[in-house]
Amino acid sequence: QRKRLRDRFSLRIHVIRWIIFILIGIITALNACFVNIVIDLLSEQKYKFLKASVEQNVPVNGGDGDLALPYLWWLLLSVVPVAVGATMVTYIEPITAGSGIPQVKCYLNGVKVPRIVRIKTMAVKTIGVITTVVGGLAGGKEGPMIHAGAVVAAGISQGKSTTFVKDFRIFKAFRDDHEKRDFVLGGGAAGVAAAFGAPIGGMLFSLEEAASFWNQNLIWRTLIASIISSFTLNIVLSAYKGLENFTFTGLFNLGKFKEPLTFAYFELPIFMLFGVAGGLLGATWNALNTLINKVRRRFVPWKLGKVAEAVVISIIGVTLATIMIYFIDDCRPLDKERISYPVQLFCEDNEYNAVAALWFQTPEATVRALFHDEEGAHNIRTVGYFTLVYYFLACATFGLNVSLGVFIPTALVGAAWGRLVAMQFLDWFPDAHFLNPGKYALIGAAAHLGGVLRMTISLSVILMETTGAETSFFFPLIIALISAKWVGDYFNEGIYDMVIEESHAPILPWEPVPQYKGLTALEILSKPVVCIKLRDSAHYIYEVLLRCDHNGFPVVDDVKDNRRCEGRVCGIILRSQLIVILLKSLYVENKRFWLPETSIQTFREVYPRYPSIKSVRPLDRKENYTVDLSMFMNPSPVRVNNHDSVPKIFNIFRALGLRHMLVISNENRIAGIITRRDFIYK
Amino acid sequence: QRKRLRDRFSLRIHVIRWIIFILIGIITALNACFVNIVIDLLSEQKYKFLKASVEQNVPVNGGDGDLALPYLWWLLLSVVPVAVGATMVTYIEPITAGSGIPQVKCYLNGVKVPRIVRIKTMAVKTIGVITTVVGGLAGGKEGPMIHAGAVVAAGISQGKSTTFVKDFRIFKAFRDDHEKRDFVLGGGAAGVAAAFGAPIGGMLFSLEEAASFWNQNLIWRTLIASIISSFTLNIVLSAYKGLENFTFTGLFNLGKFKEPLTFAYFELPIFMLFGVAGGLLGATWNALNTLINKVRRRFVPWKLGKVAEAVVISIIGVTLATIMIYFIDDCRPLDKERISYPVQLFCEDNEYNAVAALWFQTPEATVRALFHDEEGAHNIRTVGYFTLVYYFLACATFGLNVSLGVFIPTALVGAAWGRLVAMQFLDWFPDAHFLNPGKYALIGAAAHLGGVLRMTISLSVILMETTGAETSFFFPLIIALISAKWVGDYFNEGIYDMVIEESHAPILPWEPVPQYKGLTALEILSKPVVCIKLRDSAHYIYEVLLRCDHNGFPVVDDVKDNRRCEGRVCGIILRSQLIVILLKSLYVENKRFWLPETSIQTFREVYPRYPSIKSVRPLDRKENYTVDLSMFMNPSPVRVNNHDSVPKIFNIFRALGLRHMLVISNENRIAGIITRRDFIYK
């Protein structure tokens, strides 16, 4: 009877968990649709207006006209959104600055990142990324979309929101760190799927970048979330653009290649060289970016300065673009189909300015153009200068106090130099027909992404899914990516890891650092440990909580002369639980009042933001209440022997996703405690 | 100085590890090439001969001719190879029977499977699978190729072979269970990649089916092995078939779809229904197959009988096929390009018999035909009877004492009924152009594979990679697979898991079984434990080793009255180490002789097949040698408290890939030992 009840309960939990993952997929996709559509509409207005303005003011045949006017308009239409976005990020929620992927990665690694999965964060991030992309900064919407997926996952799975101070009183069974983390992993995958239309890529991204603990069921749920997400996105965007025959086409955010991409064996070394170049350029980019951000943090600490900085970079970008458009003479026959906002400028009728075409669109559209434009669509000089300008622009942009992703600008720079190289060689050897500039733009993008981000498997799958490339083209992509990663890893780490390192988050690597080989737990543990007796006085607990901010306290018995820190370990109790015990006065002396109605729910309700100890009224000095922790504590904490080797306990810590681990002596007495910070090599 | 030395050493190990993974990829692919080419050549001879024989003996216009002759030839050409294969498997290496995937799965889970990764095993398996496929049994070469990859990996990484009694004295650093397991994982992935030409599928297959411990580096190496493998295979097979332009085309073992596969939204429920049908058919197939194999094990225990059984099934198969060919009248206009061995039989000139075309080729070629034949290539009746016959034939075949995989026959049955359904509906509604029989054959194959194997992610990726389908077609495939899996899981487990269950291998599930919730270590541990004192007499150790066959022995001190099983835990020592200690007489009393030249190498040399205790000469009764285990033992075994909860210790056990785990009391005294068998719910 009891067994069957338990089975039914666990089945219910199971089904609810699936439903939550599906909901995560749907809502993440809807958020992505919103971002996509708003950016689409606003950029359309912006570039349409600018095109009209240029055409009105261009001096035709020596007639008058003032090109300063469209330049000023461009400045205005760029600076205003950027300023709005930067202000929101800086003043409302500074954690939304940047891509969000490093923070999500930290969160999934087990680091507490305050406010990272709140709805307010998501709102600011969403508006922030729209303003950034519409403002024309060198940033993409992908990173923030992934972050948004994580927020959606955390919000739904907990059934409550701190921002709105609202508790829906559902999904209570999932209110613990491990469950929440699994959902956030699914949310991240759904975010990738929504950002790129790449369900397998989404799953792999989560696994490669984020997951710490491997589990078949988890990967399953993650995949479902990302499939549902890409499917929802596809339906909504198809509906928005006018459904054709109800046919599922996939999304192909970066455009589907018309011809299947093929390659010959002798191109493999070329792909490898591209990878090497990507690794070098990427490592340089990472180093430069980190340097710029260090300088930035040092010299512009005040808030208004951060907003001003974003505005300045925006102005520099527009100005450089204007100079390029003005001075480079690259006219091409007009092909209305392909170019969204063709600007004639100084070109003949029925021609358009190819430089302006590169700049007068969102970065994503530019990547698409570099992949799919025909062979003769650009001048070598145009692409050359463009590559140069964008490389440094992107470098100065990432790290500004605005919400933006680094994927699209990186892909853009890579696609630009990839195309440039192919064009140059095609110029020298016009018979080398294998030098398809679009294909080499894709390889360049892969190489540069590999050099900057250092992800490989998920990136290659994402690139394949988002360009609809053939599965056989997986091979060149992975060759370019792996070469780039290996070369880049020789110099420094991926950009996300560098951001994490700068933030000094105690993130755990995949494997224990070699310096820890041969050490034992004794050599890294922290002590003395603040312990609490199995039956301890409420006064003592209250004072301990006031005095120190540890998250968990070992519970000990067999304590002699009140030397608690030499007691024998019985279990562990969390700070939050102790606070609840004090708040609700769960003392031994008044047991008969609370015992019948106290359950695990009493403790779950306050998750994850339990009240501060300051909210507990100081206890009356005269009354001598006792707390019996044997009812509340976790009686089987993970404990290791003080002679255990560090690599071994590291593996346990990592695999189980622990926050703390008790070190005991041979007599089961407390020797110390090991937390995540103890594993970070100083 | 020392740190730098250690860094260099660890870098060297790192590089060697990569090289081994690359070698695994190459050699696995070469083996796959060998199998492919030999099967190709032999089947060509066989079916060419049969075709000629039919055409000579067919009674034309009432003339004489005897179709019994080609039937007998066919019988002969099927029975002889099958008999050879079955004899080899039965008499030389019985472990090579079947697909090999269940065994590899057990091995990777940590179960000791004797002789599974020996070169002899691989040789028998390779020849076995060739004979099976050439003999025309309902089996594929994929499973054995994956097994072969695992053997290659184990062989190379250990740098020695037991079959050839040869130790190359290289790669000694990798001689432990964990390292070997990681390599075998890579080998399995390389095998999948070689079998299907699916590198991403290979990696995902390893992860979904096999890996227990997630690690970014491991997945990386696995991917490299499978990429190298599919690349090598592609080069060699292209060279064999005549290289065209040095162009990399991918392999597409199951044929590339000429048109990109598209689908409309209203087809999604259809895919789901296919999935449900696949789940039902698959679950039935699994149950039936398990039943047949139970009967088989019970009534045919002797070796000759097993060979005879394979011959009988072969005869039944050929006979059923002959009956179908003889009685079903399905003539189609001849198209020389597509049909390899067109048989005219009773058809008009310039026509061929479509039934014979289905049977006169390897099963893999039949799957290809079902995917890619045009709409009108078969009669509904032909495909209907073919489905029926093959379903039961495959069911009777898997479990015979021959080497064969279950993937291709399963895909074949699924493709057949998928195509059948589409043909039938197209017959009823000729205007429903979306009912492309090839597409629905692919969906049917996915559904049936999902129903039988219950893998989803890797299967869908493999199907995509092996048919060159578009990434957007991932969606219908996964819908069919997931529906099939869910429906099938309601009734029973996947076929591989059922095979494992029948073999009673103590395989650990991903998560602790719900029955263990709430239990503590005390309730599942085994005791009393056979312990050894820190300084114990050689006599005692010798006797313990003779008396019991445990793999590890806790080392204890503080022993009172020789009650070792109540001692305090200091470490653990393996059986193999104790045997080496006795064999080499590493006693305290003669320390000065051996101490200088004894190192970890002394113990590694005997890995993995250390001598039996029987090879140690009985010790002289008179001499009282002592062994000091503190030098040899592992001083930090994983120990858990006897009050720890079972789910928690299960996670530790699973994540660290342990073989045993000591349970200690609060006083660090031994309470019991937990091995893999204790976690299996009885």
Side-chain angles (χ1 to χ4, degrees):
Chain A
Q1 176 69 26
R2 237 184 97 197
K3 189 186 155 295
R4 196 192 288 163
L5 257 176
R6 187 191 281 158
D7 279 4
R8 270 185 54 195
F9 180 72
S10 100
L11 182 72
R12 208 180 125 239
I13 291 275
H14 212 69
V15 170
I16 293 181
R17 203 180 270 128
W18 277 107
I19 293 175
I20 295 178
F21 270 96
I22 290 173
L23 278 178
I24 290 171
I26 294 176
I27 298 183
T28 305
L30 292 181
N31 177 64
C33 288
F34 174 73
V35 172
N36 272 330
I37 293 175
V38 172
I39 289 183
D40 218 46
L41 291 176
L42 290 181
S43 336
E44 197 184 324
Q45 292 307 320
K46 174 177 169 182
Y47 293 113
K48 216 182 245 171
F49 177 80
L50 286 180
K51 172 181 147 69
S53 167
V54 170
E55 271 161 17
Q56 266 176 21
N57 292 289
V58 71
V60 192
N61 301 327
D64 50 53
D66 191 355
L67 281 176
L69 207 64
Y71 168 63
L72 288 177
W73 273 120
W74 194 1
L75 270 190
L76 188 73
L77 289 180
S78 303
V79 164
V80 170
V82 168
V84 170
T87 310
M88 282 185 68
V89 169
T90 313
Y91 287 95
I92 303 184
E93 194 59 276
I95 194 120
T96 56
S99 136
I101 293 178
Q103 288 90 332
V104 172
K105 201 173 162 181
C106 283
Y107 181 88
L108 289 170
N109 192 271
V111 181
K112 282 260 163 191
V113 188
R115 301 192 311 284
I116 186 70
V117 288
R118 293 220 188 151
I119 292 185
K120 190 170 124 193
T121 307
M122 177 165 146
V124 173
K125 193 122 202 172
T126 304
I127 301 177
V129 74
I130 292 175
T131 55
T132 312
V133 175
V134 171
L137 280 187
K141 58 189 193 299
E142 279 69 15
M145 275 186 183
I146 294 161
H147 184 178
V151 179
V152 167
I156 295 180
S157 67
Q158 303 302 303
K160 66 195 238 183
S161 152
T162 315
T163 305
F164 297 129
V165 203
K166 173 85 194 152
D167 187 339
F168 292 98
R169 308 197 157 274
I170 46 172
F171 306 148
K172 285 189 179 172
F174 304 121
R175 294 189 181 173
D176 76 55
D177 280 345
H178 277 84
E179 289 276 3
K180 195 167 165 184
R181 213 186 288 165
D182 285 357
F183 286 114
V184 170
L185 188 73
V192 178
F196 300 105
I200 320 181
M203 183 199 74
L204 288 175
F205 178 89
S206 289
L207 291 177
E208 188 173 3
E209 273 298 286
S212 312
F213 187 55
W214 169 258
N215 184 316
Q216 213 187 13
N217 294 326
L218 182 59
I219 194 171
W220 250 90
R221 294 186 201 119
T222 308
L223 181 72
I224 294 288
S226 51
I227 285 181
I228 294 285
S229 165
S230 76
F231 183 64
T232 310
L233 189 75
N234 196 60
I235 289 191
V236 176
L237 287 190
S238 306
Y240 169 67
K241 288 173 187 159
L243 262 182
E244 286 168 18
N245 298 329
F246 287 99
T247 303
F248 184 94
T249 51
L251 279 158
F252 310 128
N253 275 6
L254 298 182
K256 185 159 165 36
F257 279 92
K258 272 160 285 171
E259 298 287 308
L261 294 168
T262 56
F263 63 96
Y265 285 116
F266 61 80
E267 286 179 81
L268 292 181
I270 309 182
F271 300 147
M272 217 174 278
L273 284 180
F274 264 66
V276 172
L280 293 173
L281 287 171
T284 317
W285 196 93
N286 289 0
L288 195 61
N289 179 263
T290 309
L291 187 72
I292 291 177
N293 285 330
K294 259 189 194 143
V295 171
R296 194 173 268 162
R297 262 197 306 282
R298 178 133 177 232
F299 293 104
V300 193
W302 59 94
K303 287 189 172 181
L304 197 62
K306 291 185 178 182
V307 177
E309 210 178 27
V311 169
V312 168
I313 297 288
S314 164
I315 292 175
I316 293 178
V318 171
T319 309
L320 285 175
T322 310
I323 293 174
M324 266 187 72
I325 295 174
Y326 195 83
F327 286 103
I328 300 180
D329 182 27
D330 185 0
C331 292
R332 302 280 151 183
L334 187 58
D335 168 4
K336 280 246 168 181
E337 291 283 297
R338 225 172 33 71
I339 308 291
S340 328
Y341 312 108
V343 181
Q344 190 180 344
L345 207 66
F346 306 122
C347 295
E348 305 287 314
D349 283 355
N350 281 322
E351 284 193 342
Y352 72 97
N353 184 312
V355 190
L358 276 181
W359 285 105
F360 270 31
Q361 54 194 353
T362 57
E364 204 180 302
T366 312
V367 177
R368 226 175 289 145
L370 290 170
F371 283 174
H372 303 292
D373 282 357
E374 309 105 84
E375 266 182 41
H378 312 272
N379 199 312
I380 292 183
R381 212 148 48 98
T382 312
V383 182
Y385 281 114
F386 182 79
T387 309
L388 203 69
V389 167
Y390 220 89
Y391 185 86
F392 292 103
L393 209 55
C395 211
T397 308
F398 187 66
L400 286 180
N401 237 28
V402 292
S403 304
L404 48 67
V406 75
F407 184 94
I408 286 293
T410 308
L412 180 49
V413 172
W417 66 252
R419 196 176 176 96
L420 182 67
V421 171
M423 282 163 70
Q424 184 61 66
F425 276 84
L426 206 56
D427 195 45
W428 288 335
F429 312 102
D431 290 334
H433 293 297
F434 67 89
L435 285 167
N436 169 359
K439 179 171 80 178
Y440 278 91
L442 179 59
I443 296 287
H448 203 73
L449 283 167
V452 170
L453 304 182
R454 311 287 161 80
M455 294 183 281
T456 48
I457 306 162
S458 52
L459 271 186
S460 44
V461 174
I462 287 173
L463 280 174
M464 273 170 55
E465 289 191 284
T466 200
T467 61
E470 305 267 295
T471 38
S472 60
F473 207 70
F474 178 70
F475 196 61
L477 286 178
I478 202 92
I479 285 185
L481 275 162
I482 285 181
S483 322
K485 182 184 161 71
W486 277 347
V487 170
D489 276 349
Y490 183 80
F491 298 102
N492 50 30
E493 287 181 291
I495 187 72
Y496 296 142
D497 291 318
M498 289 178 87
V499 168
I500 291 172
E501 202 170 285
E502 288 298 313
S503 73
H504 301 292
I507 199 164
L508 290 184
W510 286 98
E511 279 167 358
V513 285
Q515 288 88 339
Y516 277 153
K517 254 183 201 161
L519 295 192
T520 62
L522 258 185
E523 288 158 277
I524 64 163
L525 53 74
S526 307
K527 63 175 184 179
V529 189
V530 181
C531 298
I532 294 176
K533 283 196 289 190
L534 198 54
R535 280 174 85 105
D536 217 330
S537 75
H539 278 304
Y540 180 80
I541 292 176
Y542 181 73
E543 257 152 46
V544 160
L545 288 178
L546 270 184
R547 203 177 65 216
C548 70
D549 58 354
H550 296 175
N551 184 265
F553 298 90
V555 179
V556 296
D557 64 359
D558 193 19
V559 174
K560 282 171 199 126
D561 312 331
N562 256 1
R563 284 208 306 271
R564 288 184 180 82
C565 63
E566 288 170 15
R568 215 176 53 193
V569 177
C570 316
I572 197 163
I573 188 122
L574 299 181
R575 182 184 189 81
S576 59
Q577 293 171 317
L578 289 177
I579 290 178
V580 172
I581 290 170
L582 293 186
L583 263 182
K584 310 221 164 184
S585 309
L586 309 180
Y587 306 130
V588 177
E589 286 75 8
N590 54 0
K591 209 171 187 172
R592 66 203 153 97
F593 298 118
W594 54 263
L595 198 56
E597 56 200 19
T598 301
S599 73
I600 191 158
Q601 288 301 342
T602 321
F603 292 92
R604 263 197 191 136
E605 261 162 20
V606 298
Y607 179 84
R609 270 167 292 276
Y610 52 82
S612 145
I613 180 64
K614 302 214 174 72
S615 64
V616 180
R617 255 180 312 133
L619 304 169
D620 192 336
R621 276 265 150 222
K622 275 170 273 175
E623 283 185 275
N624 244 330
Y625 284 124
T626 322
V627 178
D628 181 1
L629 291 178
S630 62
M631 288 179 245
F632 309 116
M633 73 180 180
N634 168 6
S636 71
V638 175
R639 38 195 137 167
V640 297
N641 194 283
N642 51 18
H643 296 302
D644 281 352
S645 76
V646 173
K648 203 196 72 183
I649 61 177
F650 177 88
N651 283 337
I652 298 180
F653 195 91
R654 185 88 166 86
L656 301 189
L658 300 178
R659 293 194 62 179
H660 29 56
M661 174 180 242
L662 302 182
V663 184
I664 55 173
S665 68
N666 273 339
E667 290 77 34
N668 194 23
R669 293 193 182 270
I670 189 93
I673 195 163
I674 292 182
T675 58
R676 136 187 316 272
R677 293 211 177 258
D678 296 313
F679 283 116
I680 310 293
Y681 187 72
K682 263 83 67 175
Chain B
Q1 177 69 29
R2 238 184 95 197
K3 188 187 156 293
R4 197 192 286 163
L5 257 176
R6 185 189 286 158
D7 278 4
R8 270 187 53 195
F9 180 70
S10 98
L11 183 72
R12 208 181 125 240
I13 292 275
H14 212 68
V15 170
I16 293 181
R17 202 179 273 128
W18 276 107
I19 292 173
I20 295 178
F21 270 97
I22 289 172
L23 278 178
I24 290 171
I26 294 175
I27 297 182
T28 305
L30 291 180
N31 177 64
C33 288
F34 173 73
V35 172
N36 272 330
I37 292 175
V38 172
I39 288 183
D40 217 45
L41 291 176
L42 289 182
S43 343
E44 197 184 325
Q45 292 306 319
K46 174 177 169 182
Y47 292 113
K48 217 181 244 171
F49 177 80
L50 285 179
K51 174 181 145 68
S53 167
V54 170
E55 271 160 17
Q56 265 176 20
N57 292 290
V58 73
V60 192
N61 300 329
D64 50 54
D66 190 356
L67 281 176
L69 206 65
Y71 168 62
L72 289 177
W73 272 119
W74 193 1
L75 270 189
L76 187 74
L77 289 179
S78 302
V79 165
V80 169
V82 168
V84 170
T87 310
M88 283 187 65
V89 168
T90 313
Y91 288 95
I92 303 184
E93 194 58 279
I95 194 124
T96 56
S99 137
I101 293 178
Q103 288 90 331
V104 172
K105 201 172 162 182
C106 284
Y107 180 89
L108 289 170
N109 192 272
V111 181
K112 281 259 163 192
V113 188
R115 301 192 312 284
I116 185 70
V117 289
R118 291 219 190 151
I119 291 184
K120 192 171 121 193
T121 308
M122 177 165 145
V124 173
K125 193 123 205 172
T126 305
I127 301 177
V129 73
I130 292 174
T131 55
T132 312
V133 175
V134 170
L137 280 187
K141 56 189 193 302
E142 280 70 15
M145 277 186 182
I146 294 161
H147 184 178
V151 179
V152 167
I156 295 180
S157 66
Q158 304 301 301
K160 66 193 236 183
S161 152
T162 316
T163 305
F164 298 128
V165 202
K166 175 84 193 152
D167 187 340
F168 292 97
R169 309 198 156 272
I170 46 172
F171 307 147
K172 286 192 180 171
F174 304 120
R175 294 190 182 172
D176 75 56
D177 282 343
H178 277 84
E179 289 277 3
K180 196 168 164 185
R181 211 184 294 164
D182 284 359
F183 287 114
V184 170
L185 188 73
V192 178
F196 301 104
I200 319 181
M203 182 198 77
L204 287 175
F205 178 88
S206 290
L207 291 178
E208 188 173 3
E209 272 300 284
S212 311
F213 188 55
W214 169 260
N215 184 317
Q216 211 186 15
N217 294 325
L218 182 59
I219 194 170
W220 249 89
R221 295 189 201 116
T222 307
L223 181 72
I224 293 288
S226 51
I227 285 180
I228 295 285
S229 165
S230 74
F231 183 64
T232 310
L233 189 75
N234 196 61
I235 289 191
V236 176
L237 287 190
S238 307
Y240 169 67
K241 288 174 188 158
L243 261 181
E244 286 168 17
N245 298 330
F246 286 98
T247 302
F248 183 94
T249 51
L251 280 159
F252 310 127
N253 275 8
L254 298 183
K256 186 160 164 36
F257 280 92
K258 273 160 282 173
E259 298 286 308
L261 293 169
T262 55
F263 62 96
Y265 285 115
F266 61 81
E267 285 179 84
L268 293 181
I270 308 182
F271 299 147
M272 217 173 277
L273 284 179
F274 264 65
V276 172
L280 292 174
L281 287 171
T284 316
W285 196 93
N286 289 0
L288 196 61
N289 180 263
T290 310
L291 186 72
I292 293 177
N293 285 331
K294 258 188 196 144
V295 171
R296 192 172 271 162
R297 260 198 307 281
R298 180 137 174 230
F299 293 103
V300 193
W302 59 94
K303 286 190 172 180
L304 197 61
K306 290 185 179 180
V307 177
E309 210 177 26
V311 170
V312 169
I313 297 286
S314 165
I315 293 176
I316 293 178
V318 171
T319 309
L320 285 175
T322 311
I323 295 174
M324 265 186 73
I325 296 174
Y326 194 82
F327 286 103
I328 299 179
D329 181 28
D330 186 2
C331 292
R332 301 280 149 181
L334 187 59
D335 167 5
K336 278 247 171 184
E337 291 282 297
R338 225 171 32 73
I339 308 290
S340 327
Y341 312 109
V343 181
Q344 191 178 340
L345 210 63
F346 306 120
C347 296
E348 305 288 315
D349 283 358
N350 279 323
E351 284 192 344
Y352 72 98
N353 183 309
V355 189
L358 277 181
W359 284 105
F360 270 32
Q361 55 193 350
T362 59
E364 204 179 302
T366 313
V367 178
R368 226 175 289 144
L370 289 170
F371 282 174
H372 304 292
D373 282 357
E374 310 103 83
E375 265 182 39
H378 312 272
N379 198 313
I380 291 181
R381 213 147 46 98
T382 313
V383 181
Y385 281 115
F386 182 79
T387 309
L388 203 68
V389 167
Y390 221 90
Y391 185 87
F392 292 102
L393 208 56
C395 210
T397 308
F398 188 65
L400 287 181
N401 238 26
V402 293
S403 304
L404 48 68
V406 74
F407 184 94
I408 285 291
T410 308
L412 181 47
V413 173
W417 66 252
R419 195 177 176 95
L420 181 68
V421 171
M423 282 162 68
Q424 185 60 65
F425 275 86
L426 207 54
D427 195 44
W428 288 335
F429 312 102
D431 290 335
H433 292 298
F434 67 90
L435 285 167
N436 170 0
K439 179 171 82 178
Y440 278 91
L442 179 60
I443 295 287
H448 203 73
L449 283 167
V452 170
L453 304 181
R454 311 288 161 81
M455 294 184 281
T456 46
I457 306 163
S458 53
L459 270 186
S460 45
V461 174
I462 287 173
L463 280 175
M464 273 169 56
E465 288 191 286
T466 199
T467 60
E470 305 266 294
T471 38
S472 61
F473 207 68
F474 178 69
F475 196 60
L477 286 178
I478 201 94
I479 284 184
L481 276 163
I482 286 181
S483 322
K485 183 184 160 72
W486 277 347
V487 170
D489 276 350
Y490 184 80
F491 297 102
N492 50 29
E493 286 182 291
I495 188 72
Y496 296 141
D497 291 319
M498 288 178 86
V499 169
I500 291 172
E501 202 169 285
E502 287 298 313
S503 73
H504 301 292
I507 198 163
L508 290 183
W510 286 99
E511 277 166 0
V513 284
Q515 288 87 339
Y516 277 155
K517 253 183 203 160
L519 295 191
T520 62
L522 258 185
E523 288 157 278
I524 64 163
L525 53 74
S526 305
K527 65 176 183 179
V529 190
V530 180
C531 299
I532 294 176
K533 283 195 292 188
L534 197 54
R535 279 176 84 106
D536 217 329
S537 76
H539 279 300
Y540 180 79
I541 292 176
Y542 180 73
E543 258 151 46
V544 160
L545 289 178
L546 271 184
R547 203 177 64 216
C548 70
D549 59 352
H550 296 175
N551 184 266
F553 299 89
V555 179
V556 296
D557 63 358
D558 194 18
V559 173
K560 280 169 200 127
D561 311 332
N562 256 2
R563 285 208 304 274
R564 288 183 178 82
C565 63
E566 289 169 14
R568 215 173 53 192
V569 176
C570 316
I572 195 162
I573 188 122
L574 298 181
R575 180 182 192 83
S576 59
Q577 292 171 317
L578 290 176
I579 291 178
V580 172
I581 290 170
L582 295 185
L583 263 180
K584 310 221 164 184
S585 310
L586 310 180
Y587 307 129
V588 178
E589 285 75 7
N590 54 0
K591 209 170 187 173
R592 66 206 154 95
F593 297 118
W594 54 263
L595 199 55
E597 56 202 18
T598 301
S599 72
I600 190 156
Q601 288 302 340
T602 321
F603 292 92
R604 261 195 195 139
E605 260 161 24
V606 296
Y607 179 84
R609 271 166 291 276
Y610 52 84
S612 144
I613 181 65
K614 303 214 173 73
S615 64
V616 180
R617 256 181 310 133
L619 303 169
D620 193 337
R621 277 267 150 221
K622 276 169 274 177
E623 281 184 276
N624 244 328
Y625 286 123
T626 322
V627 178
D628 182 0
L629 290 178
S630 62
M631 289 179 245
F632 309 115
M633 72 179 182
N634 168 6
S636 71
V638 174
R639 37 196 136 168
V640 296
N641 194 283
N642 49 18
H643 296 301
D644 282 350
S645 75
V646 173
K648 203 195 73 183
I649 62 177
F650 177 89
N651 283 337
I652 298 181
F653 196 90
R654 185 88 166 88
L656 300 190
L658 301 179
R659 292 195 61 181
H660 29 56
M661 170 180 245
L662 303 182
V663 184
I664 55 173
S665 69
N666 274 340
E667 290 77 36
N668 193 25
R669 292 194 182 274
I670 188 91
I673 196 163
I674 292 182
T675 59
R676 133 188 320 270
R677 293 211 178 258
D678 297 313
F679 284 116
I680 310 292
Y681 187 70
K682 262 84 64 177

